[in-house]
Structure formats: C-alpha cells, structure tokens
C-alpha cells in the first residue's frame, strides 16, 4: 500500500441525503473532527439538518503541544498548562493562528474553553490568552511552528505531528499540556446513507493495522489501536485526553469564532 501520494491524511465521509435528493458524495477533508461535523451540518439545512444523524469512530489521537525555541526561552519558563500561556513573561512571544483561518487553531481554542469548569470561565481564560498575544495572530497554523524554529517567536501553540518535525533540531523543544492535551480525531458516517456498506469498509481501512501503522510512519500520526505502539512519539498515557465536546464545538462554531474575533478587536 502506497500512501505517500497523499500529502496529509484525508477522510471519506460517505453519502448524504437532502430532502428528496439522494446522491453519493465523497468528501475529502483535513482530519479535524470539528470540520467533519461542520461539513455535515452545512450540507443539511433547515428541517433536513435536524434529521441528520452521525456515527463517529476515533481514528487518531491528536495531542496539542507548546513548541518553544530554547535559545529564546529557558525551559523552566515553558508553560505546562493552558493557563500558563497567560504568563506575562510570554506577552507578544506566542505564535497562535486565528481560529477563523485554521481548523487546528479552532480545536485549540475549544480545548481552552473546555479545560475550565464552565464555558464562561473558559472565555475568561481565552480573554487573558488573547491579551497575552499582544495583537499578534497568524493566518496559517503552519506559521506557529515555523516562526518558532526561525526565532521570530519564543513559543507556539501547535499539534504534535508538526512539533516532531524538529526532533533533530537541538534548539527546539515541545511540551504536552498537563491537562487537556490530546483530542481524538474521528471518521464519521452518516446514518441511513445509500452507500453505507462502502463507507463502513473505508472506516475499516483507516482503522486497520496497516493504515494506522502507515499513518504513524509517514505522517507522525498516533495510532488509535491499542495493539500498535506509536514510533517516535511518547506513550499516550503521558498525554491527558481532555473532555472535548464535539457537538458543542460544531454547533457553536460560528458563535465561538465571532466571540474570539470580538475579543481580539477589543
């Protein structure tokens, strides 16, 4: 199996039905659970959206990490919690992408919201984080690790598979947040879709030992299977899987983005 022809993992969602219209759809998206659910929601509208039901299966744990430049930041000053991103010594030194520009940045934003006892307290944390960004936001999630590596920023919020690209760079390190680090990515199936059996076969494929091993080797993705140990990555036991509310993140996506942008605008 040659999977290198894909630049990054993608997902087949299956088939959708809207009203009397029935057709098969192959939907290829970057693996981001919130994006998957949003794509489904956008296809259905009005009463038909309410009829949409989704089955979901985890396909890869996706830890969030704080990547840092050792020449700019002492390891003792590297935050190990989401709250630590609000430390004054980091003001203006954090590379973070606008959640309106990146699915992974949106996931990171929601992770911060869900890391607190209530959403209101989550927004209090996000407000402090935004103030610490000092008006600096990236328009690409890729910049959050690249600009740390180049020395423009001391620290960046990124995903594990991007941080491990710098494993051979002695000046770059990364840490996992002590709490709410890993978010499970998923593959989704629309209930009662016309090509349900084919969609199930694809889900079997992406969760198979062969595909999971290839994802780990080629893309530094974590296997979701318990019988495959990730290579080049720490044990998932060392990462805290947070309580990520996929339904809330998907159904409130526009509202969350708007509130974030309002806080940035002041």
């Amino acid at each position: 199996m040659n999977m290198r022809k894909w630049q990054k993992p993608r997902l087949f969602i299956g088939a959708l039905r809207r009203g009397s219209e029935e057709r098969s759809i192959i939907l290829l998206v970057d693996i981001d659970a919130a994006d998957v659910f949003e794509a489904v929601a956008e296809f259905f509208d009005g009463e038909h959206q309410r009829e949409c039901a989704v089955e979901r299966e985890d396909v890869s744990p996706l830890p969030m990490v704080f990547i840092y430049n050792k020449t700019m930041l002492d390891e003792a000053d590297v935050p190990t919690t989401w709250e630590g991103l609000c430390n004054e010594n980091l003001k203006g030194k954090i590379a973070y992408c606008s959640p309106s520009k990146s699915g992974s940045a949106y996931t990171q934003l929601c992770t911060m919201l869900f890391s607190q006892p209530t959403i209101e307290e989550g927004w209090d944390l996000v407000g402090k984080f935004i103030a610490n960004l000092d008006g600096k936001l990236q328009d690409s999630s890729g910049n959050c690790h690249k600009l740390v590596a180049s020395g423009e920023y001391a620290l960046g919020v990124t995903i594990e598979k991007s941080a491990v690209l710098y494993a051979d760079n002695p000046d770059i390190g990364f840490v996992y947040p002590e709490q709410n680090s890993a978010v499970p990515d998923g593959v989704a199936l629309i209930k009662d879709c016309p090509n349900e059996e084919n969609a199930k076969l694809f889900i079997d494929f992406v969760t198979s030992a062969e595909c999971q091993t290839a994802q780990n080797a080629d893309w530094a993705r974590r296997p979701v299977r318990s019988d495959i140990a990730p290579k080049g990555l720490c044990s998932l036991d060392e990462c805290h899987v947070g309580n990520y509310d996929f339904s809330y993140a998907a159904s409130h996506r526009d509202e969350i983005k708007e509130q974030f942008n309002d806080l940035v605008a002041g």
Side-chain angles (χ1 to χ4, degrees):
M1 175 180 61
N2 180 10
M3 301 179 65
R4 294 183 182 276
K5 62 182 179 179
W6 297 67
Q7 292 184 348
K8 59 177 76 173
R10 307 263 176 171
L11 289 180
F12 171 73
I13 300 304
L16 306 176
R17 180 186 290 112
R18 177 166 53 191
S20 59
E21 177 186 4
E22 181 176 304
R23 57 176 172 162
S24 299
I25 291 180
I26 295 179
L27 181 61
L28 300 177
V29 297
D30 290 351
I31 291 185
D32 183 293
D35 284 341
V36 170
F37 282 98
E38 181 188 33
V40 172
E42 285 179 355
F43 181 82
F44 290 89
D45 59 329
E47 62 179 301
H48 302 121
Q49 180 170 336
R50 292 194 294 272
E51 297 172 1
C52 174
V54 179
E55 294 178 353
R56 178 183 174 281
E57 183 171 344
D58 293 340
V59 73
S60 175
L62 181 64
M64 304 297 169
V65 302
F66 306 149
I67 188 171
Y68 63 97
N69 191 311
K70 297 178 183 179
T71 68
M72 303 176 67
L73 192 63
D74 291 337
E75 293 190 44
D77 294 328
V78 178
T80 57
T81 64
W82 294 100
E83 293 84 354
L85 294 175
C86 303
N87 292 341
E88 290 186 2
N89 66 308
L90 294 174
K91 188 166 186 177
K93 301 177 181 179
I94 302 173
Y96 177 69
C97 182
S98 167
S100 296
K101 301 288 187 178
S102 162
S104 60
Y106 178 75
T107 299
Q108 291 154 4
L109 169 59
C110 289
T111 300
M112 282 188 267
L113 292 176
F114 301 147
S115 71
Q116 302 302 297
T118 66
I119 292 295
E120 290 74 19
E121 291 172 279
W123 278 114
D124 288 341
L125 170 63
V126 170
K128 295 175 183 177
F129 171 65
I130 289 173
N132 225 28
L133 293 176
D134 201 25
K136 301 174 182 178
L137 273 176
Q138 305 305 312
D139 59 7
S140 167
S141 59
N143 287 344
C144 296
H145 58 90
K146 294 175 183 176
L147 295 178
V148 171
S150 66
E152 188 168 336
Y153 285 85
L155 184 140
V157 183
T158 188
I159 52 181
E160 179 187 52
K161 73 183 185 72
S162 296
V164 298
L165 297 174
Y166 303 92
D168 296 330
N169 188 331
D171 293 332
I172 303 299
F174 66 92
V175 299
Y176 299 88
E178 293 174 357
Q179 299 289 321
N180 299 283
S181 171
V183 176
D185 267 355
V187 54
L189 169 69
I190 309 302
K191 289 183 179 178
D192 301 322
C193 60
N195 289 325
E196 184 172 330
E197 291 307 312
N198 284 340
K200 288 180 177 178
L201 287 173
F202 188 82
I203 291 175
D204 288 343
F205 163 69
V206 295
T207 56
S208 68
E210 184 181 12
C211 184
Q212 292 272 301
T213 300
Q215 287 189 53
N216 181 218
D218 295 345
W219 306 317
R221 300 285 305 198
R222 284 182 173 273
V224 72
R225 297 174 62 105
S226 60
D227 58 345
I228 301 177
K231 294 184 178 180
L233 304 171
C234 71
S235 168
L236 189 60
D237 293 338
E238 299 178 39
C239 306
H240 179 266
V241 180
N243 183 24
Y244 192 94
D245 190 335
F246 290 98
S247 178
Y248 186 94
S251 61
H252 292 77
R253 189 181 183 97
D254 290 341
E255 172 190 329
I256 290 172
K257 287 181 179 180
E258 182 177 359
Q259 187 163 346
F260 180 90
N261 291 336
D262 287 345
L263 288 172
V264 170

